[in-house]
Amino acid sequence: MNYSFRKDNDWLLIGATIILSLFGLLMVYSASYVEGYLRFENPYYYVMRQGMWLGLSSVAFIVLMHFQYRHFQKITPLIIFMSIVLLILVKLIGLGEDVGSSRWIRIGPVGLQPSEFVKLGLIIYLAHVYSRKQAYIDDFVNGVMPPLIIVGVMFGLIMLQPDLGTATSIMLTAILLVVISGAKWRHLIGLVMVGGLVFAALAIFEPYRLRRLVSFADPFANPDGDGFQLIHGYLAISNGGFTGLGLGESMQKLRNLPEGHTDFILTIISEELGFLGIAIVFLCYGIILFRGVSIGTKCKNPFGSLLAFGIVFSLAIQIIFNVGAVSGMLPITGVTLPLVSYGGTSLLVTLMSVAILANIHQNNERQKRKQMDEGESLSA
C-alpha cells in the first residue's frame, strides 16, 4: 500500500463503518442465540450467516472502493434494467414470511432481497440523469419529471411485494435528490403533495396496513396484537438505563420480542448496553453521515456530488425509519438498522454504498492534489 493510497482514503469514514459492522455482528449474536437454538438447535445459526455475509460484503467493499465511480454512468441503463427484472422475479418466484408477501428470491442456498439493490441502483440512476439535466432542471416536464416515471415503476413493483417501508424510503430519497439537484420549490411542493396522497391511499385501501400505521400511536390498545412488539420494545429500552444489564443479559430476547435481531435490534442494544451502547451506534452513524455530506459538498463532479448525497439521504432515511419505529414515534415498517441488524442483503448493499462514498473521496483528494501540483508548476 503506497503513501498516496493511504493519504487519499477517508479513514474516519472507513473506521466508523468497520466499528459499526463488527459491533452489529456482536449484537446479532447476543440478540439471536436463543432464537437460533430454539428454531435450529444452533445458537450460532444467525451470527454465522451474518458473519459469512460480512465477509462477502467486505470483499465487495474493497472492490468498489477502488472502482472508479464515474464508470457507473456507463452502465446505468443496465442497472435499471436489472433492477426491474429482479423486482419482477420477486413477484414471480419470490419467497415471503406471510401469505401474499414475496420479498426474497433464492439463488442456491442464498436468499437475496432485490429491493435493497434497487435502492442503490435508483440512486445511481437519478444522480446520473439529474447531473446531465442541470441546464434545464427548472423545467418540470423535461427536467424533473422523466426520471420520476422510473421511480414510480420501481415504487409500484416494490408495493406489489408488498414493502411499504422500502417503497417509501425510495420515494423520499428521490424527492430529496430532486431538491439537491436544484428544482423549483413549487415543483417540489407538488411532488410532496402527490407523494403524501399516494401514501395515504395505500394505507386507507389496505386495512392491515392502516392498522399497522396507527397502532404505534397507542400500542396498549391492542397489547396482544399489533401493539405487542412495540410494548416489549419499550420494556427492553426501559430495562437498560445508562449502562444496561450487561452483554447477553437481555430478558426481552427470550422470545418476548419479535424480530429482536432484525429491525428491533436497537432495543436489545439498549437493554444490554444502555445509553452507552446507543451512543456508540449514533456516534458511528453521525461520522458516516457527516463524512458523506462533506464528500458530496466537496465533489466538483455533478454526478459524484449527487451520488454521495443520494447515499447519505438513503442511509439517513433508513436510520430515521428504524429508530422512529422502535421508539414509537413512527409506524413499524420492518426497515432494518443499517450495518447492525441481521440481514445479509442489507449489509452488503450498505457496505457497497459506503465504499462508493470512499471512492468519491479518493477522487476528490486526487483532484485537489492535482490542482495543487499544477498551481505549483505554474508558479515555478
Side-chain angles (χ1 to χ4, degrees):
M1 184 184 295
N2 58 42
Y3 173 73
S4 62
F5 173 77
R6 294 196 302 268
K7 186 177 180 180
D8 290 338
N9 278 329
D10 190 331
W11 291 111
L12 195 57
L13 172 69
I14 295 171
T17 303
I18 293 173
I19 291 171
L20 202 54
S21 299
L22 294 176
F23 179 77
L25 188 64
L26 174 65
M27 292 311 305
V28 165
Y29 170 65
S30 182
S32 70
Y33 70 82
V34 174
E35 185 73 13
Y37 179 79
L38 293 174
R39 290 189 63 183
F40 305 101
E41 296 184 351
N42 181 4
Y44 305 105
Y45 176 82
Y46 291 105
V47 72
M48 287 176 62
R49 292 173 67 89
Q50 188 76 350
M52 289 187 290
W53 274 105
L54 181 57
L56 174 64
S57 302
S58 299
V59 173
F61 182 91
I62 294 171
V63 171
L64 279 182
M65 194 169 67
H66 297 88
F67 180 81
Q68 175 55 254
Y69 75 88
R70 291 186 180 91
H71 293 332
F72 283 114
Q73 290 184 282
K74 301 176 183 178
I75 59 174
T76 298
L78 177 62
I79 291 173
I80 290 300
F81 174 75
M82 290 304 299
S83 296
I84 294 175
V85 169
L86 285 172
L87 291 178
I88 292 174
L89 285 176
V90 168
K91 195 57 186 175
L92 296 177
I93 61 172
L95 304 172
E97 296 180 353
D98 304 313
V99 176
S101 170
S102 54
R103 298 182 184 180
W104 294 268
I105 57 175
R106 187 167 296 282
I107 302 176
V110 179
L112 297 175
Q113 191 172 0
S115 59
E116 292 291 332
F117 293 104
V118 170
K119 286 195 294 188
L120 180 57
L122 269 178
I123 292 170
I124 294 171
Y125 166 73
L126 292 173
H128 168 66
V129 174
Y130 285 131
S131 67
R132 300 177 64 182
K133 292 178 175 287
Q134 289 298 293
Y136 52 98
I137 194 65
D138 56 347
D139 183 342
F140 183 79
V141 174
N142 297 311
V144 176
M145 190 61 190
L148 296 182
I149 295 174
I150 298 295
V151 175
V153 171
M154 299 295 188
F155 180 89
L157 289 172
I158 293 173
M159 283 305 305
L160 288 175
Q161 297 179 8
D163 187 353
L164 181 60
T166 300
T168 304
S169 68
I170 283 176
M171 180 172 64
L172 290 176
T173 301
I175 291 174
L176 289 172
L177 273 173
V178 172
V179 171
I180 206 73
S181 297
K184 290 183 177 179
W185 278 104
R186 67 171 182 270
H187 297 159
L188 300 175
I189 293 171
L191 288 174
V192 171
M193 292 177 63
V194 171
L197 290 173
V198 170
F199 186 85
L202 289 171
I204 292 171
F205 292 112
E206 287 288 352
Y208 83 92
R209 191 177 292 142
L210 183 60
R211 286 197 306 271
R212 176 175 289 187
L213 291 176
V214 300
S215 64
F216 80 100
D218 185 13
F220 296 95
N222 189 8
D224 296 322
D226 293 327
F228 183 84
Q229 186 178 27
L230 185 55
I231 290 172
H232 283 273
Y234 285 160
L235 290 173
I237 293 172
S238 64
N239 288 339
F242 189 76
T243 58
L245 301 178
L247 186 64
E249 299 299 320
S250 166
M251 299 300 294
Q252 294 305 312
K253 71 184 177 188
L254 304 178
R255 307 218 86 182
N256 292 325
L257 181 62
E259 309 303 330
H261 57 295
T262 57
D263 47 312
F264 263 64
I265 197 169
L266 195 64
T267 62
I268 303 298
I269 295 172
S270 178
E271 187 175 18
E272 295 190 347
L273 302 177
F275 173 80
L276 294 178
I278 299 295
I280 292 172
V281 173
F282 283 110
L283 176 62
C284 290
Y285 281 142
I287 292 171
I288 293 170
L289 295 177
F290 174 78
R291 292 305 307 148
V293 170
S294 177
I295 290 167
T297 302
K298 293 178 181 178
C299 185
K300 304 302 181 183
N301 180 278
F303 170 67
S305 181
L306 289 175
L307 182 56
F309 277 111
I311 290 171
V312 169
F313 292 150
S314 181
L315 287 174
I317 289 168
Q318 191 171 342
I319 294 166
I320 291 169
F321 276 16
N322 182 273
V323 175
V326 302
S327 64
M329 298 180 68
L330 290 174
I332 298 173
T333 55
V335 174
T336 56
L337 192 63
L339 299 175
V340 179
S341 293
Y342 174 79
T345 312
S346 175
L347 179 64
L348 173 61
V349 173
T350 303
L351 282 175
M352 290 170 60
S353 301
V354 177
I356 293 172
L357 284 178
N359 182 260
I360 297 172
H361 174 80
Q362 288 178 3
N363 280 269
N364 289 350
E365 292 300 303
R366 290 167 187 167
Q367 187 66 30
K368 183 171 67 174
R369 192 168 61 250
K370 181 181 177 182
Q371 292 175 350
M372 291 176 62
D373 292 341
E374 290 175 351
E376 291 175 0
S377 298
L378 291 173
S379 62

